[in-house]
Amino acid sequence: MGTDKIKDIFENIDQEEVVVLTEKLIEIESHKESVQRESAVAYYIQSFFRSHDIEAWTEEIYPNRPNIYAKVGKSDKSYKRIILNGHIDTVPAYTMENAFQPKRKENDLYGRGAVDMKGAIAAMMVAMVTLKRYYPNLAGEVIFAGVIDEEERAEGARHIADSGNLTADIAIIGEPTELKIMPAHKGMEWTEVAFHGKSSHGSTPNAGINAVYHASEFIRIMQENLLPELERREHPVLGKPTLNLGKIIGGSDPNVVPDKCFLQFDRRWLPGESTESMIEEFNNLVRIQKKTNPSIEVSVRRMSETTGYHPPLDTPFDHWGVKALEKGVRTLFGRDPEVVMFPGWSDGAQLANGGIPSVVCGPGRLEDAHSGKEKINMNELYQAAVLYTYFALDITGRGKNESGK
């Protein structure tokens, strides 16, 4: 791509347009506590695209919860197709004051969803409009996919993967990476271990069976057996799997022997592991515990009602899509691109599971997401729109068999 064309991209994108659009998206609540869920923001995005003569449509995944899609370019199967993906849901306000009233302060824009991830959504929308306005002769196709439910069960992206209704050669996921390129991350799984005892008055503890005691014994067995085993496993990119005991529920009052106790774990897992193998690891701990206490009542289950299925993402670092993003960062911003693992989880894993190679690359810092002071750097928003536009122009002009390096 020539110097003049690169200069045109910078000139054809207005930073203020990206920021104003982000502000509008922040104002439209789209979290689990809002009556409209994701529908209001999805229909706003659809209206925005149609006002710019871009084909856009929705697909209801659950009642009042639609995915929103748009496309520009030509459906020529001899050229590459890309997906620009982001989730249109956010977490609720929680401790953030005036969370849905966006505020500019110095170089940052504050508001719930600013960084996770309505900022990236806005940058992708502006990239789509830029392509439609100034580059109408794209040989390939660019699809925008705004999906529901990433903050919970990731059913929006999973639907795309399972249905096969959208296909592409590469997907860019706009989770916050400070525009670093992140082709891989661990999977996420939540597991609950439930202990059942017998209640009695606290003054007669021997008349009951203390479920909390059984749970504490299980924790010790877990620390002595499973944690060392996880330390011995390592992926060349993703490192070691992790296990965190994040929540303990047990007991009703100090003067009552607790008859129930629940341990809830967060497990970050690697390619080669599976939900079945992780459940079996917990069951093995139960077997160890029952050797000394065979009468213990305990059950293990996946918390799939909360998390659904969250596999790992493992796109090779030398994939042509990664190399094309590296080229874009180097060409546009004059810096060496960083290619590292993503510390969180993304819908890219669902898309990759459905046969669409995916890479995480978006504006903002992950540590600002979900926080009481969620924010995004406004210049980085602009840079994201420029990078997505450059990447689309670069990739869609390539034939299906071109490596893209």
Side-chain angles (χ1 to χ4, degrees), residues 134-286:
Y134 301 106
Y135 309 97
N137 298 315
L138 288 176
E141 192 170 43
V142 183
I143 297 173
F144 170 87
V147 298
I148 67 163
D149 199 49
E150 190 273 346
E151 297 292 358
E152 296 180 79
R153 292 169 49 84
E155 295 292 351
R158 186 170 185 178
H159 174 78
I160 293 174
D162 290 348
S163 68
N165 291 341
L166 291 183
T167 60
D169 299 287
I170 187 75
I172 304 302
I173 318 300
E175 293 284 0
T177 68
E178 300 174 83
L179 295 182
K180 297 172 186 175
I181 301 161
M182 301 188 178
H185 59 65
K186 297 173 185 176
M188 183 184 77
E189 176 73 5
W190 286 5
T191 304
E192 182 180 82
V193 184
F195 297 85
H196 304 276
K198 178 183 175 183
S199 64
S200 71
H201 195 280
S203 65
T204 58
N206 291 337
I209 300 174
N210 194 313
V212 171
Y213 287 170
H214 289 165
S216 64
E217 175 67 9
F218 181 89
I219 294 170
R220 181 189 63 79
I221 293 170
M222 179 268 295
Q223 291 175 305
E224 292 179 354
N225 292 271
L226 182 53
L227 293 187
E229 171 59 30
L230 298 183
E231 277 292 311
R232 289 189 284 270
R233 301 176 195 170
E234 190 159 7
H235 184 275
V237 172
L238 298 175
K240 299 175 181 180
T242 61
L243 178 65
N244 177 61
L245 172 56
K247 190 173 184 180
I248 301 175
I249 307 167
S252 57
D253 201 82
N255 69 348
V256 178
V257 173
D259 63 344
K260 294 182 179 67
C261 188
F262 302 89
L263 307 179
Q264 295 182 347
F265 295 88
D266 176 290
R267 174 79 147 78
R268 301 300 166 126
W269 53 291
L270 305 176
E273 299 182 306
S274 67
T275 55
E276 294 80 9
S277 69
M278 289 182 285
I279 287 291
E280 179 57 24
E281 288 170 346
F282 281 105
N283 284 330
N284 185 56
L285 298 178
V286 172

Side-chain angles (χ1 to χ4, degrees), residues 300-334:
V300 178
R301 72 176 188 91
R302 297 184 60 224
M303 296 174 65
S304 55
E305 78 283 356
T306 302
T307 58
Y309 177 61
H310 284 61
L313 174 65
D314 192 22
T315 303
F317 277 37
D318 61 354
H319 186 277
W320 60 262
V322 176
K323 295 299 181 184
L325 278 171
E326 288 184 53
K327 174 186 170 186
V329 170
R330 189 177 292 110
T331 301
L332 295 169
F333 311 128

Side-chain angles (χ1 to χ4, degrees), residues 4-22:
D4 289 343
K5 197 167 188 179
I6 293 170
K7 182 181 178 182
D8 286 345
I9 295 173
F10 279 101
E11 292 179 350
N12 290 337
I13 295 176
D14 178 13
Q15 177 171 314
E16 183 66 10
E17 183 179 15
V18 187
V19 175
V20 169
L21 182 54
T22 304

Side-chain angles (χ1 to χ4, degrees), residues 17-84:
E17 183 179 15
V18 187
V19 175
V20 169
L21 182 54
T22 304
E23 290 174 327
K24 181 59 182 178
L25 295 176
I26 290 171
E27 290 172 353
I28 305 172
E29 297 185 35
S30 56
H31 52 83
K32 64 183 179 182
E33 296 177 1
S34 59
V35 174
Q36 71 269 22
R37 295 299 300 254
E38 298 96 339
S39 61
V41 75
Y43 294 130
Y44 173 81
I45 293 170
Q46 181 182 47
S47 176
F48 174 88
F49 280 131
R50 288 180 173 177
S51 72
H52 290 88
D53 199 28
I54 294 173
E55 181 181 353
W57 67 102
T58 60
E59 181 182 23
E60 195 166 78
I61 309 304
Y62 293 115
N64 213 32
R65 305 188 68 190
N67 282 355
I68 168 68
Y69 310 111
K71 65 179 181 180
V72 295
K74 300 182 180 70
S75 300
D76 186 337
K77 293 183 179 180
S78 61
Y79 288 89
K80 290 193 186 323
R81 173 190 284 177
I82 72 172
I83 289 177
L84 299 177

Side-chain angles (χ1 to χ4, degrees), residues 332-346:
L332 295 169
F333 311 128
R335 63 174 185 258
D336 289 333
E338 294 184 56
V339 184
V340 294
M341 67 165 280
F342 183 56
W345 189 87
S346 81

